[in-house]
Amino acid sequence: MSDFLRLAEDIAREAGDMLLAKRPTMSEEVATKSSPTDVVTALDTASERLIRERIEAARPGDRILGEEGGEAPGEGDVRWVVDPIDGTVNFLYGLPDWAVSIAVEVGGRVVAGVVNVPARGEVFTAALGEGAWLGGTRLRCNTGVPLAQALVATGFGYAQASRAVQGRVVAEVLPRVRDIRRGGSCAIDLCSLAAGRVDAYYERGINPWDYGAAGLVATESGARLAGLRGRPVSRDFALCAAPGLFEELHDLLVTLDPERDA
Ligand code: IPD
């Protein structure tokens, strides 16, 4: 397992360094009149290509699921789940909260995860049963926080219709908690939870590459990550918090029917 983690960390660091070096600034892009979005898309693709090449060189035969390139069919028991840039809009705007996220699954279970946040110089790591770490510091999520005192991170999808629902849901959550944070990267939200920087996180519509690595960081810090009504985490819903707060926020969210699409 530590071999997986070491390899994932090396690759996530290399991709992060590349992105940091090549990151465009908004003003540069405006000056050259090219579309900043295209530059980001090209770097997203380049980051995923680099990550895939490194995995294939070190572990030929493993399956790889990436946000940009999808998943080629394969037989192996090991699958790498890759988000070459999570928090793409932050990356585009020069905000620091974007990350390279790499998870390793064995038999469908995440056993190792790395979330590299290059612009902050922070690398979060976790191995199944062995804890979650930020550098040399073991991470423990906040416990014993009542809902009314909870700082709750969330996010919004790109589709207009789902945003309208997400807006109505968050309007009901906001008066019942300490405050809301919308950081712009699911992976960083979950790592922030692990580090005690927020108390809870929920979102509908996130993908395995968004929460694969960071989900392990969060659960290894003591948090619970699941869907609603006893279901596992999925695109349908992701809720994460320490036990106790998890149930309180879960019960509130269920009354708000956040899985509806309109
Ligand atoms: C997005 C981020 C964001 C979340 C969106 C995701 P991307 O991923 O994680 O925080 O709210 O749902 O799609 O597009 O930046 O890789």
Side-chain angles (χ1 to χ4, degrees):
M1 198 188 299
S2 55
D3 287 347
F4 281 135
L5 190 57
R6 214 169 300 123
L7 179 59
E9 184 173 344
D10 286 349
I11 298 172
R13 282 182 183 276
E14 188 182 347
D17 288 348
M18 183 276 286
L19 290 167
L20 210 46
K22 296 195 174 165
R23 184 173 47 155
T25 64
M26 252 339 212
S27 52
E28 264 166 25
E29 292 312 311
V30 171
T32 59
K33 294 197 175 56
S34 66
S35 158
T37 328
D38 289 350
V39 179
V40 171
T41 308
L43 284 173
D44 230 343
T45 311
S47 172
E48 184 160 327
R49 197 183 318 118
L50 182 156
I51 295 167
R52 281 178 182 271
E53 281 170 9
R54 296 294 182 272
I55 297 170
E56 280 159 7
R59 304 259 332 162
D62 286 359
R63 291 181 293 143
I64 305 173
L65 169 67
E67 179 176 16
E68 303 303 316
E71 182 176 2
E75 298 290 310
D77 201 32
V78 178
R79 183 172 81 152
W80 297 69
V81 182
V82 172
D83 194 342
I85 306 178
D86 186 56
T88 324
V89 176
N90 287 342
F91 184 76
L92 174 64
Y93 276 76
L95 289 165
D97 283 341
W98 51 273
V100 178
S101 169
I102 302 179
V104 188
E105 289 175 357
V106 177
R109 191 150 189 215
V110 180
V111 298
V114 177
V115 177
N116 179 14
V117 190
R120 291 198 185 276
E122 293 189 331
V123 181
F124 295 86
T125 58
L128 186 62
E130 290 174 23
W133 301 83
L134 171 55
T137 306
R138 177 121 194 217
L139 300 177
R140 305 259 182 222
C141 69
N142 295 337
T143 55
V145 180
L147 184 62
Q149 295 299 317
L151 185 59
V152 179
T154 190
F156 310 112
Y158 291 106
Q160 223 179 1
S162 39
R163 287 192 157 195
V165 175
Q166 287 169 326
R168 282 193 284 274
V169 170
V170 79
E172 294 296 325
V173 174
L174 182 55
R176 294 175 171 84
V177 299
R178 179 190 296 273
D179 208 343
I180 291 288
R181 290 292 178 271
R182 196 298 190 244
S185 158
C186 157
I188 297 176
D189 286 343
L190 286 165
C191 290
S192 297
L193 190 152
R197 296 170 179 173
V198 297
D199 300 306
Y201 165 76
Y202 77 88
E203 185 166 351
R204 172 163 165 75
I206 54 167
N207 293 291
W209 47 81
D210 298 316
Y211 62 77
L216 186 65
V217 175
T219 53
E220 285 294 325
S221 81
R224 187 169 164 202
L225 171 65
L228 296 180
R229 299 184 179 86
R231 292 195 299 263
V233 60
S234 74
R235 266 191 71 81
D236 289 342
F237 211 81
L239 169 60
C240 190
L245 177 56
F246 181 100
E247 285 74 24
E248 256 198 290
L249 183 54
H250 173 276
D251 294 351
L252 168 62
L253 286 164
V254 162
T255 66
L256 304 174
D257 191 15
E259 294 178 315
R260 68 190 191 278
D261 283 316

